[in-house]
Amino acid sequence: MASTMRVQTRSGNRALIITTLAVPLTGWTMHAVSLHRKLAAARKDPLTGLLGRDGFTTRARQITDRYGDAALVGIVDLDHFKAINDGPGGHAAGDRVLAATAARLTAWAGSRGAVGRIGGDEFAVAVRIGPARRELRLAQLVQLLAQPVEVEDGVLVDVAASIGAASPGVLGTTDLSVLQRAADAAMYEGKHTGRAVLAGPQHVTVPSINGRRAGRPGTHTLGRAA
């Protein structure tokens, strides 16, 4: 009987030790996961200084959840960027165009907006713009992004961008993945037209992969234009 009691006691102590150790280990694991998420959200694109995909997603969700129908999510894709990147100025010219585009988007979005670089020459924005001002503000963005960019001393490169936007007030949802998918489809519809397209319900049903129109070309690599 005494032998049995000793075995149970030793087993109980072992379980207590394991449980005691597991508590801080679990705490550290949760802390590590939380820290990793915070670092991912804070990580910025080294070329443009914009938020990366994770950071933009976090900030954009805050904006759409907070402002609801007054929020606007946009997808911006540079037109004929490959020609700039493969032109006489090479990747250096492409990098300057990307950096200039990032600066212009940041100025347009303001301090309370979010701007991210989510692909090679693809950007995303999330801002608060009421229904009465959407058309005007999007037209201003088109004009702003169409300004030539100086890629070296005195050499200007013509640039343009295709823009699609989506609003919870139009689509009836604050789901960021739905808004981005619709904005991407609207952007493609207006490609090379020189105008921004505001997504409607028909843009939500366009087949997509990871929030982008199925079959759409482009890269997902952050960093240099190449």
Side-chain angles (χ1 to χ4, degrees):
M1 182 68 175
S3 175
T4 302
M5 290 292 293
R6 283 196 296 274
V7 170
Q8 290 177 341
T9 302
R10 286 196 295 269
S11 298
N13 289 340
R14 187 179 301 112
L16 178 61
I17 292 172
I18 292 173
T19 302
T20 304
L21 289 173
V23 171
L25 285 175
T26 301
W28 277 110
T29 300
M30 293 177 64
H31 174 72
V33 170
S34 176
L35 181 60
H36 173 75
R37 289 176 177 172
K38 289 180 180 179
L39 289 173
R43 191 176 298 124
K44 294 187 176 182
D45 172 39
L47 173 62
T48 64
L50 296 180
L51 294 170
R53 186 180 293 273
D54 291 341
F56 173 77
T57 298
T58 298
R59 182 73 183 102
R61 281 179 176 156
Q62 293 172 349
I63 292 173
T64 55
D65 289 345
R66 180 175 182 179
Y67 297 117
D69 291 354
L72 189 73
V73 174
I75 298 294
V76 177
D77 193 69
L78 294 178
D79 296 337
H80 309 299
F81 180 73
K82 189 176 185 302
I84 297 174
N85 223 24
D86 294 342
H91 291 168
D95 286 352
R96 292 204 178 189
V97 169
L98 291 173
T101 300
R104 292 168 178 179
L105 285 170
T106 300
W108 180 83
S111 60
R112 295 185 180 181
V115 184
R117 184 183 177 202
I118 59 175
D121 60 329
E122 185 178 30
F123 302 84
V125 296
V127 292
R128 178 188 181 185
I129 300 177
R133 302 180 63 231
R134 283 183 198 139
E135 186 176 343
L136 174 62
R137 294 281 280 126
L138 287 172
Q140 290 174 340
L141 181 58
V142 171
Q143 293 180 352
L144 182 63
L145 296 181
Q147 299 299 314
V149 174
E150 183 175 344
V151 295
E152 56 182 328
D153 295 340
V155 177
L156 297 176
V157 170
D158 290 328
V159 295
S162 296
I163 303 168
S167 172
V170 176
L171 301 183
T173 179
T174 58
D175 187 320
L176 182 63
S177 62
V178 174
L179 294 170
Q180 285 186 300
R181 180 169 67 248
D184 184 80
M187 183 277 296
Y188 181 72
E189 179 182 306
K191 194 72 175 170
H192 306 306
T193 65
R195 62 184 179 89
V197 178
L198 182 64
Q202 72 276 16
H203 294 105
V204 177
T205 59
V206 174
S208 66
I209 299 174
N210 295 327
R212 305 180 74 202
R213 179 181 54 79
R216 182 166 180 256
T219 70
H220 296 280
T221 304
L222 295 179
R224 291 181 56 85

